[in-house]
Amino acid sequence: MAGASSAAVSGAGTPVAGPAGRDLFAEGLLEFLRPAVQQLDSHVHAVRESQVELREQIDNLATVASSFCLPELCRINEDQKVALDLDPYVKKLLNARRRVVLVNNILQNAQERLRRLNHSVAKETARRRAMLDSGVYPSGSPSK
């Protein structure tokens, strides 16, 4: 006695019982999925062929590059080497730039102090000259 779970449906919609029904259902499912599986299989084969072709081209390019350097490969190689070799120098330049900026700030502060001192000296000199010209001497200041 076949249960409802083992019954398959025929093309007319009537249930087909037993192993023959399961075989019929499996064949129908296989025929339904066969085009998708075949398409997927052909795509997989195409990708594999493409990968083999790409590997051959890379091997050929590596062989050619090792025998003589193509201009593009030489340029790329030099660019990569320069970028790697310049890294410590860039760090040194940034460090030197930081130091120069620091020294520049110190010099600007010193220059500003000297400007203020010069202004004070000029002001004091002008005041003393005016006092000498007028003949009035302050009592607490030196005569020189």
Side-chain angles (χ1 to χ4, degrees):
M1 179 166 152
S5 63
S6 64
V9 178
S10 71
T14 58
V16 178
R22 280 185 251 162
D23 289 342
L24 185 62
F25 179 73
E27 280 184 41
L29 187 60
L30 185 61
E31 288 302 317
F32 177 73
L33 294 176
R34 187 179 312 260
V37 170
Q38 287 175 343
Q39 184 181 13
L40 183 63
D41 189 46
S42 67
H43 286 298
V44 167
H45 284 298
V47 167
R48 283 188 171 179
E49 289 175 9
S50 173
Q51 287 177 342
V52 167
E53 185 179 329
L54 179 61
R55 188 184 67 214
E56 289 173 357
Q57 289 179 356
I58 289 172
D59 290 342
N60 288 339
L61 185 60
T63 303
V64 168
S66 65
S67 62
F68 64 92
C69 193
L70 296 172
E72 296 87 19
L73 291 177
C74 288
R75 183 178 47 80
I76 290 170
N77 193 24
E78 289 173 7
D79 288 347
Q80 287 179 349
K81 285 182 182 175
V82 169
L84 294 175
D85 292 338
L86 287 180
D87 192 40
Y89 299 108
V90 169
K91 288 180 182 177
K92 287 180 182 179
L93 283 173
L94 290 174
N95 191 22
R97 180 178 184 264
R98 184 185 57 82
R99 288 187 207 163
V100 167
V101 167
L102 183 65
V103 169
N104 185 34
N105 287 340
I106 292 170
L107 287 174
Q108 283 178 345
N109 289 338
Q111 187 177 18
E112 179 62 24
R113 288 181 193 156
L114 285 173
R115 187 194 62 77
R116 282 183 279 164
L117 183 61
N118 189 28
H119 179 71
S120 295
V121 167
K123 192 175 179 181
E124 183 64 26
T125 304
R127 185 182 69 80
R128 288 189 181 197
R129 199 169 272 145
M131 286 187 336
L132 283 174
D133 290 343
S134 65
V136 178
Y137 298 105
S139 61
S141 66
S143 60
K144 292 185 177 177

